[in-house]
Amino acid sequence: MRNKIVAGNWKMNMDTQETDALIGTLKGQSLPADVTVIIAPSFTNLDRANQAVKGSKITVAAQNMHQASHGAFTGEVSVDMLKSVGVDTVILGHSERRSDFGETDNIIGLKVAAAIVNGMTVIFCFGEDLSQRESGSHFSVVKKQLEKGIFDLPNSALSKVIFAYEPVWAIGTGETASPEQAQEMHAFVRKTIAERYDNALADSVSILYGGSVKPNNANEIFAGKDVDGGLIGGAALDAVGFAAIANSF
Ligand code: PGA
């Protein structure tokens, strides 16, 4: 269902004590009833984070998972491991996984399929880098990422996918896409989903923007009619600011 969503990707930040403190402060903030609020702490803190958010409207996601169900994959975490600590949402395809850890469109497609088959909700990230934006290939890059990552899924799976457009040049750089650039790409994504599936399904999915979203720019970015919220990195590490972003619709 198309929802307003604010998701915090904590990346490799926050040890156990810091995780407890951040969640504690976040629970004390006023969070709007009609906005889904998700946080994605590190693997080591997922279990306690999931306990800590009980009784609040916050839900917990993982930042990654392996595509195989189990086996000799040193250092990896499976879908069953996530589910066994009550986590049923996972971020997949983040640009840092793509560029720093060699995750190809094909690997990400396998991960998405494995997550969906196992009943997970996927926050699927995609977006062009600076050279692709400058050369004008950003629409075709995004279309290919959607095709490889998502478009093998049946119609029934789309309700379990949250889309997250994250232009790489805006991640952690302080530079955001302009509200017009974000809206333009989000409209393109919705159109591309409509062409593969249908209009009703395309209208029903949530498409988040990610890349240097802050309390002082969230409102204008979220104003785009195809922008349903944000995937927040750096600004999610401050509970007051993150809550302010959730209140920016
Ligand atoms: P940022 O990260 O908000 O720090 O730019 C966004 C993301 O990587 O999801």
Side-chain angles (χ1 to χ4, degrees), residues 11-34:
K11 309 192 180 183
M12 198 174 73
N13 295 295
M14 302 286 134
D15 65 17
T16 292
Q17 287 73 32
E18 291 164 335
T19 297
D20 290 351
L22 182 47
I23 292 174
T25 314
L26 190 55
K27 283 172 75 175
Q29 306 301 305
S30 110
L31 297 169
D34 64 340

Side-chain angles (χ1 to χ4, degrees), residues 7 9 11 91 94-96 125 166 170-175 210-214 231-236:
N9 174 11
K11 309 192 180 183
I91 299 172
H94 192 277
S95 66
E96 287 149 17
C125 306
E166 297 208 304
I171 294 179
T173 59
E175 189 174 340
S212 299
V213 177
K214 308 282 179 222
L231 180 56
I232 320 299

Side-chain angles (χ1 to χ4, degrees), residues 1 88-90 112 115-116 118-124 150 153 155-163 205:
M1 203 182 90
D88 62 6
T89 303
V90 61
V112 169
I116 294 290
N118 284 285
M120 301 282 285
T121 294
V122 171
I123 301 176
F124 175 72
I150 299 295
L153 297 174
N155 292 31
S156 58
L158 271 252
S159 63
K160 297 290 230 173
V161 180
I162 298 166
F163 293 81
V205 299

